[in-house]
Amino acid sequence: MHNRQYVTITHYKEREFYYLSHAIQTDNGFIPKEIEQFHESEKDKFIEHIRTLQSEYPHTQIVSLSLSTNQKVTQKEDKNRVSAKIFNSNFVEQDKIDIGNIPTTLYFSPFAILYEEYKDKLDNKLTLLIGYFDRKLYMMFATEEKIHQSWVIGTRGLTEKQIAFRVYKSIKAYYKMSYKFADHIEMLLSDDSPKLLKVLREELPLTILTTQNSIHNLLHHMAGDQKRASSSYIRSSISAEYASIVNNLDNNLAVSVNSNSNHNLENLRLSEPDAIRKDISFFDKLKLFFGTKNASKPRHTLLSFIPLLFVLGAGGYYQLESDKLLNNIEVAQSQLSSQIDNELLIKKSKDIFLAMGKNAELKNGLVSNSKIKLKGIVWGIEPLRESLTTLYPKGKFSITALENFRTEFSFISKV
Amino acid sequence: MSLKATSLITKFILLLSVVALFIWTIPNIVNYYTNLKSYRVKEKKLDYMYDKNHIISKAEEFTLDSFKKSANAIFSDVSIKQKKEQEYEVSIEVVKDKLDSIYTFIKTISLNYLVTIKDNELKFEDKKQFIEVTFIVEKL
């Protein structure tokens, strides 16, 4: 009898513990067995236990829950990401299936569980569905037609009031996009969280209806029916040939041992690296560029650009300012030199006119800081010669007699 | 974040930052403050000259219109011709015994306008009761 039973083995990891359960599936629902807890240091023991259960019940599905925060609900399937169809026109997607080396055949998203839980309640009014799993809020705005928007909010380290504020922010953000407020909130809780519920009810302007169920029970339910499981488990779109892992899944315990061992996510994992290479994102390329597989290292590398940018920015700023100052200095220096030269030029001109006095009359002349050239009519030759040669001893003074008994003088000197 | 645990490229970028800081940024900062000091000294000297010549406002950019306007306000016969792109020939006629007014004008020309007198040269020509003084101003 034992061998003909269809058993669902469920497991998930919350913080540092693995939780394991199994349930016998019957036509009238499932009969859950005990839940076991393993510390992450006992991972081998935990896997061994799954293997034992598998050997005990040959017709099994090993079911787990994706608690990744990078999941989102989309309207269109992205063939390059792993996805699950959860509505007629919606897909829940995440970057990759990350189950480590833990045996898993069916992998569900909290969004799929939420949809399964509330699909019959949805109508044309907008409902905010919230799943609270592993201290994360999986939120989606849905009507009977489709899921309009989804968010995942991590709540670790936040107070209940801060969580409520984030939910409110999401409601507001959705209102900004669609000008629609949710009619009410349906909340599926995997843990008893009375304080959070109380604060949410106080802080949010919407009615909150709650349902509580354990993750194990939800997973047993999801995997308990072929149609349900096959329509919403997370497929790896890496390979179409694996697209129907549970095609052979049967409520009447018709799952063959072969299909169970060949078509599971463990096998998919083995074929992942090639595919993931194809699905590589820009950020992954950036990571590869920096030559590390450690996710935090590229972040460090990017952060290390901050001091470099700061140093270059400061250097550039001071260089520009310095160049401006140099230009100003040049202008100021030219102005100073010009002023000194102008003063000297005026002094020379004054001295020359003073030296000529009443003894001569200038006809034309050139006065500069480097040379003097004068030409005019002279009346007192000797006094003029004397005063000009006193000013410029090396100057050349000459006179020319004119026809009308006048005398012309010229004086040339270098300064 | 331990430096040991960081990748080679991170270490390289940090090293580059330190090198750039010492060979480029700090010299630029030092250069800036040296230039600033030098500029302030020159400004102080200029301020002294402004005070000495009783000029309140700082020198303005030379434009033909504004220069003509201020020269015409002092002298009755002023002609300004553009010689080159940055050079203008200025001719001013004054009564012979009023040469002092032209001296004051020329003496302070570089404190009123950002110009210099080309070759520091003045040409004088006798025009009976008047004397014509010609010089070329060059924009700074």
Side-chain angles (χ1 to χ4, degrees), chain B residues 25-86:
Chain B
T25 307
I26 291 176
N28 272 339
I29 293 172
V30 171
N31 209 13
Y32 169 78
Y33 283 104
T34 310
N35 287 338
L36 187 66
K37 197 177 167 187
S38 164
Y39 179 61
R40 282 181 181 156
V41 169
K42 291 194 189 310
E43 261 201 330
K44 217 169 182 179
K45 283 183 185 172
L46 271 175
D47 285 344
Y48 168 75
M49 285 183 170
Y50 281 114
D51 288 346
K52 198 175 95 177
N53 290 286
H54 310 292
I55 296 170
I56 302 160
S57 54
K58 299 264 162 134
E60 58 182 88
E61 285 279 332
F62 178 91
T63 61
L64 196 58
D65 287 343
S66 67
F67 185 80
K68 222 174 197 172
K69 208 173 165 185
S70 62
N72 278 325
I74 306 166
F75 308 105
S76 55
D77 196 352
V78 180
S79 99
I80 304 165
K81 284 181 229 158
Q82 185 160 12
K83 297 280 279 183
K84 288 181 188 168
E85 201 189 331
Q86 301 284 326

Side-chain angles (χ1 to χ4, degrees), chain A residues 114-279:
Chain A
L114 266 179
Y115 169 64
E116 181 57 35
E117 188 71 26
Y118 294 110
K119 64 181 179 184
D120 297 330
K121 279 192 177 180
L122 290 173
D123 51 23
N124 59 357
K125 288 177 189 164
L126 188 70
T127 306
L128 172 55
L129 306 179
I130 304 177
Y132 187 55
F133 301 102
D134 187 27
R135 298 198 197 170
K136 292 174 195 117
L137 293 175
Y138 293 83
M139 303 169 55
M140 54 192 197
F141 290 89
T143 57
E144 60 187 348
E145 282 173 19
K146 63 177 181 182
I147 293 155
H148 300 267
Q149 184 70 38
S150 71
W151 274 289
V152 180
I153 300 176
T155 65
R156 194 156 292 173
L158 300 179
T159 62
E160 283 78 8
K161 204 154 186 171
Q162 285 170 322
I163 297 169
F165 180 67
R166 289 198 178 189
V167 175
Y168 180 66
K169 262 174 79 178
S170 305
I171 294 171
K172 259 176 74 178
Y174 183 70
Y175 179 75
K176 278 183 185 169
M177 285 191 282
S178 67
Y179 298 104
K180 278 179 192 162
F181 264 124
D183 181 65
H184 71 284
I185 297 172
E186 293 280 358
M187 196 160 178
L188 177 61
L189 299 147
S190 64
D191 288 320
D192 190 17
S193 309
K195 195 176 172 193
L196 175 64
L197 261 177
K198 184 175 176 279
V199 175
L200 283 175
R201 283 189 167 129
E202 280 169 5
E203 298 290 326
L204 299 178
L206 298 173
T207 311
I208 303 175
L209 306 174
T210 56
T211 312
Q212 195 178 338
N213 209 342
S214 75
I215 291 177
H216 287 298
N217 284 351
L218 292 165
L219 291 175
H220 287 309
H221 175 71
M222 291 300 286
D225 176 80
Q226 180 190 5
K227 197 178 158 201
R228 190 159 53 232
S230 60
S231 68
S232 56
Y233 79 104
I234 299 177
R235 293 163 176 82
S236 167
S237 57
I238 293 159
S239 158
E241 68 215 58
Y242 293 114
S244 57
I245 289 172
V246 288
N247 277 351
N248 296 324
L249 177 68
D250 194 304
N251 267 348
N252 300 319
L253 317 177
V255 179
S256 72
V257 175
N258 282 343
S259 71
N260 200 19
S261 60
N262 291 335
H263 296 153
N264 60 34
L265 291 179
E266 277 182 281
N267 296 333
L268 275 181
R269 263 193 75 251
L270 292 172
S271 62
E272 260 184 13
D274 286 337
I276 283 169
R277 221 165 284 134
K278 276 189 260 165
D279 307 340

Side-chain angles (χ1 to χ4, degrees), chain A residues 38-55:
Chain A
F38 300 85
H39 190 262
E40 60 186 2
S41 58
E42 301 172 305
K43 189 176 177 183
D44 291 342
K45 192 177 159 193
F46 164 66
I47 294 171
E48 190 51 44
H49 211 83
I50 295 173
R51 298 281 184 216
T52 310
L53 285 169
Q54 258 186 312
S55 59

Side-chain angles (χ1 to χ4, degrees), chain B residues 80-130:
Chain B
I80 304 165
K81 284 181 229 158
Q82 185 160 12
K83 297 280 279 183
K84 288 181 188 168
E85 201 189 331
Q86 301 284 326
E87 288 178 15
Y88 297 84
E89 190 184 74
V90 182
S91 295
I92 300 171
E93 242 182 63
V94 282
V95 181
K96 280 179 183 172
D97 58 358
K98 299 280 182 195
L99 261 174
D100 275 350
S101 61
I102 209 160
Y103 290 155
T104 311
F105 182 75
I106 292 169
K107 196 177 157 186
T108 57
I109 197 165
S110 297
L111 294 177
N112 287 313
Y113 293 95
L114 291 174
V115 290
T116 183
I117 295 175
K118 194 183 177 190
D119 300 329
N120 300 304
E121 206 173 77
L122 298 178
K123 284 178 186 165
F124 294 89
E125 199 173 337
D126 183 56
K127 302 263 175 173
K128 293 184 181 169
Q129 279 88 27
F130 296 90

